[in-house]
């Protein structure tokens, strides 16, 4: 079985469309709920047969829901490695579900996708319900995932404890099972060296940050994922309100940093960002980190209105489609690192040439 | 008095036209003869009145020569500093004649320019006859300057000694008074790290090298001026033949280096050169050294046919017109270093935008 991306609703890229609020700074918002089914061990400890029964139950429940008529289910465990990486690069499957990092993919690992929702099946938890939304849209994303949760919960026996709430494989997820995260671009705070204070402040209020690809991933290109740290002991409403308030504050500080940069170092910044554009526009080989860093510069330049004619949607697309598995997919074969760097430079170059003067 | 460049035959830029042999590697060839007049102290020790009489004598001799009807004479000592720097940047006046480097300009310092020749008057020697030619054209440049020398020598009493030949202020110039130099671009030899051997070889055969602006100037942008070291005890023909043979050999080694680079590191070189182009194409501030280094990359790329649509003439023009006094001239005022960097980036950017796709 090879993944046919055309089967996926909008290829799973609706969240790139730059439609939400503050979409030049906030790329996307994700809300996920961790749920497990009564009567089975957690995925990591379950036998193959158990996981397959979980998959069957989930599939039947999903098929029973009229609101999900546009969805597809992918047997992640039957996909070749490049396709699993592709789903991960597209922010649709976690590393754990996709069986990356030399950990073999778990049998029964599957991914349900519709235009509005996703469900990872047999990830760390039996079910990870998620909604990914373009821009800063915590309430919208939560409303979607809550709708899905209500419908699924009516059809599946969730593991729930009167005192602890929803039970999860990792105790940090117990309670609401909620994690809301915002992928945010903070080059202004990095350039003004304010970022350290902002990140330290996050941790003191129960939030945390990660790189582009979640837990354990490094920060590249000044992209940060900010999310709640724990879920136990608070209501969903409280957790979300809190995240929204803090992120609003960070957006204001980022905007303030950008104003300061332009005021105090205008031509230096302008020069730096245009050089980033020039490199992306003409380089013949680009490593992923390099591409992310220069794209960060170009994104900032577009935000500051220094570079015109380039849409935020294009910038979002470049972030995702310049990754190795995506490049391999468009070249029709797996690429060595050197080949991927050459293909990345070509893809970025041609995309920018087509969209700018 | 302010310099009106339109009075100069072709603005003194005929040597940029990329018409000579090997003009992608050899920018220009210069041949000069040092001559002094009997009955005066050398310029550095002469009194003001003597130098003015030398100027008068030279001016009368030049005016008497029908072949020079298109020439103009500039009183360098009456020009403001920016104009003297401009003549130096255009390779028409030496640092000494232009009175740069905090040494005041000498009274009586003057420059005769026609489309084919130049004469510096009251430089280190009373007269420095020179011909500057595009590309690798030692014989042509010498033929021109010899014609001028014969005509002037018939009208002026040259200081000449039976045994030592032409007498000059500095003994290294005595004898023929000839210096022939070739401005050559050797990025291939620099990138393959062969350049050290080539330069060491030069010195062992009586040749020497300098940077873009002659004695004491640093090498930038992989541009070298290669010339004969001494003139005493050899005929003009021997000196020129020798230089021509050695430079031909260096051109071959440079071409070989370029083949090796493309063969062994093709995509790395291609990437490096296109990035140089991208930076020049979009930067908002460029120091002179930076501009020279990136232009060196672009010149190599044009030589390797990696970048098309850009003429060697344009590249030559960029070398000269991106210098501070030239930028100040086109902005209509003297520029601070920061302003010059911004003006340089704009000039380079707009020139490349107009000539490439």
């Amino acid at each position: 079985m090879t993944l046919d991306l055309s089967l996926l609703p909008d290829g799973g890229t609706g969240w790139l469309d730059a439609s939400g609020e503050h979409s030049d700074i906030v790329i996307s918002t994700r809300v996920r709920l961790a749920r497990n089914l009564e009567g089975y061990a957690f995925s990591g400890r379950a036998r193959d047969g158990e996981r397959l029964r979980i998959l069957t139950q989930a599939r039947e429940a999903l098929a029973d829901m009229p609101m999900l008529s546009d969805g597809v289910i992918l047997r992640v465990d039957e996909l070749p490695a490049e396709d699993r990486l592709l789903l991960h690069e597209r922010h649709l499957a976690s590393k754990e579900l996709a069986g990356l990092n030399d950990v073999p993919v778990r049998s029964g690992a599957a991914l349900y996708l519709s235009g509005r929702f996703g469900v990872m099946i047999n990830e760390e938890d039996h079910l990870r319900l998620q909604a990914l939304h373009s821009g800063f849209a915590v309430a919208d994303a939560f409303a979607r995932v809550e709708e899905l949760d209500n419908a699924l919960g009516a059809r599946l026996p969730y593991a729930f404890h009167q005192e602890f709430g929803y039970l999860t494989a990792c105790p940090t997820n117990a309670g609401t099972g909620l994690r809301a995260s915002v992928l945010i671009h903070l080059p202004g705070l990095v350039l003004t060296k304010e970022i350290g204070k902002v990140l330290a402040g996050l941790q003191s209020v129960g939030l945390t940050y990660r790189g582009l690809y979640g837990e354990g991933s490094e920060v590249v290109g000044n992209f940060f994922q900010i999310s709640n740290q724990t879920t136990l002991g608070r209501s969903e409403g409280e957790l979300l309100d809190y995240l929204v308030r803090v992120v609003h504050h960070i957006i204001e500080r980022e905007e303030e940093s950008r104003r300061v940069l332009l005021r105090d170092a205008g031509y230096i910044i302008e020069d730096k960002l245009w050089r980033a554009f020039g490199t992306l526009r003409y380089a013949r080989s680009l490593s992923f980190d390099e591409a992310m860093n220069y794209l960060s510069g170009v994104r900032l330049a577009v935000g500051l209105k220094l570079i015109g004619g380039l849409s935020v949607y294009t910038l979002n697309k470049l972030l995702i489609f310049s990754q190795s598995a995506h490049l391999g997919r468009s070249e029709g074969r797996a690429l060595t690192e050197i080949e991927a760097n050459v293909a990345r430079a070509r893809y970025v170059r041609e995309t920018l040439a087509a969209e700018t003067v």
Side-chain angles (χ1 to χ4, degrees), chain A:
Chain A
M1 175 178 168
T2 305
L3 179 59
D4 181 354
L5 286 170
S6 64
L7 293 178
L8 300 185
D10 68 24
T13 60
W15 63 280
L16 291 174
D17 73 3
S19 59
E21 229 184 311
H22 294 289
S23 67
D24 61 325
I25 293 181
V26 178
I27 292 89
S28 61
T29 302
R30 172 198 302 270
V31 174
R32 68 95 167 124
L33 294 171
R35 298 288 183 258
N36 287 276
L37 304 189
E38 274 183 0
Y40 300 106
F42 289 126
S43 309
R45 316 190 102 215
R47 280 163 292 111
D48 287 358
E50 278 183 291
R51 284 198 297 266
L52 292 175
R53 285 202 299 282
I54 291 164
L55 173 56
T56 304
Q57 261 188 280
R59 192 200 291 268
E60 284 167 3
L62 288 162
D64 187 40
M65 290 154 63
M67 63 201 259
L68 297 183
S69 58
D70 66 336
V72 295
I73 200 152
L74 299 170
R75 281 292 294 260
V76 176
D77 57 351
E78 293 176 356
L79 292 174
E82 310 85 69
D83 287 344
R84 289 184 270 120
L85 181 57
L86 191 85
L87 290 172
H88 177 62
E89 288 180 354
R90 206 162 281 198
H91 292 218
L92 301 173
S94 66
K95 241 173 205 165
E96 177 155 353
L97 187 80
L100 303 176
N101 280 351
D102 303 329
V103 178
V105 62
R106 203 173 270 146
S107 68
L111 179 62
Y112 172 83
L113 284 174
S114 81
R116 312 186 69 208
F117 320 101
V119 182
M120 292 193 274
I121 301 167
N122 287 313
E123 212 259 10
E124 181 183 296
D125 295 296
H126 297 158
L127 304 175
R128 289 265 176 115
L129 287 51
Q130 58 185 10
L132 190 53
H133 203 293
S134 180
F136 188 31
V138 174
D140 282 1
F142 180 68
R144 281 194 191 181
V145 85
E146 199 181 27
E147 181 189 359
L148 177 66
D149 184 45
N150 290 336
L152 267 183
R155 290 166 174 84
L156 291 170
Y158 283 163
F160 185 84
H161 184 279
Q162 209 56 32
E163 191 179 346
F164 298 125
Y166 292 102
L167 298 178
T168 54
C170 176
T172 56
N173 292 316
T176 61
L178 172 77
R179 167 158 277 157
S181 69
V182 163
L183 179 57
I184 190 166
H185 183 228
L186 302 175
L189 289 167
V190 172
L191 285 167
T192 54
K193 301 195 171 29
E194 294 287 309
I195 192 71
K197 269 181 278 179
V198 171
L199 297 178
L202 283 182
Q203 272 147 351
S204 70
V205 297
L207 300 181
T208 187
Y209 74 95
R210 292 154 179 186
L212 258 178
Y213 293 94
E215 209 160 337
S217 71
E218 267 179 72
V219 172
V220 289
N222 308 313
F223 293 103
F224 298 82
Q225 281 203 57
I226 295 176
S227 67
N228 60 308
Q229 174 91 284
T230 53
T231 89
L232 195 66
R234 298 223 189 141
S235 75
E236 288 86 347
E238 282 172 330
L239 289 166
L240 297 175
D241 278 356
Y242 202 66
L243 181 73
V244 166
R245 259 187 298 140
V246 171
V247 170
H248 260 303
H249 177 65
I250 293 175
I251 292 171
E252 276 165 27
R253 291 192 64 174
E254 171 65 18
E255 285 170 342
E256 172 61 18
S257 293
R258 294 180 181 194
R259 277 190 296 272
V260 168
L261 281 172
L262 268 194
R263 188 192 65 205
D264 297 351
Y267 91 93
I268 297 171
I269 291 298
E270 210 180 325
D271 181 53
K272 185 182 163 75
L273 304 184
W274 274 109
R275 285 178 186 223
F277 179 79
T279 303
L280 292 178
R281 183 69 187 70
Y282 288 106
R284 261 49 188 175
S285 173
L286 281 170
S287 72
F288 177 67
D289 281 12
E290 237 188 340
M292 288 302 109
N293 287 328
Y294 290 132
L295 281 171
S296 168
V298 171
R299 192 177 187 99
L300 175 57
V302 168
L304 294 173
K305 305 203 183 340
L306 297 174
I307 296 182
L310 196 55
S311 69
V312 175
Y313 170 62
T314 298
L315 292 170
N316 287 349
K317 223 174 46 181
L318 283 168
L319 285 185
I320 300 306
F321 286 80
S322 65
Q323 298 172 97
S324 301
H326 278 79
L327 295 167
R329 166 61 58 118
S330 67
E331 301 277 316
R333 65 195 175 88
L335 303 175
T336 65
E337 194 182 332
I338 287 179
E339 290 170 338
N341 290 347
V342 170
R344 179 176 298 114
R346 183 169 51 239
Y347 170 67
V348 171
R349 198 163 73 229
E350 289 172 356
T351 303
L352 292 179
E355 300 222 4
T356 53
V357 280

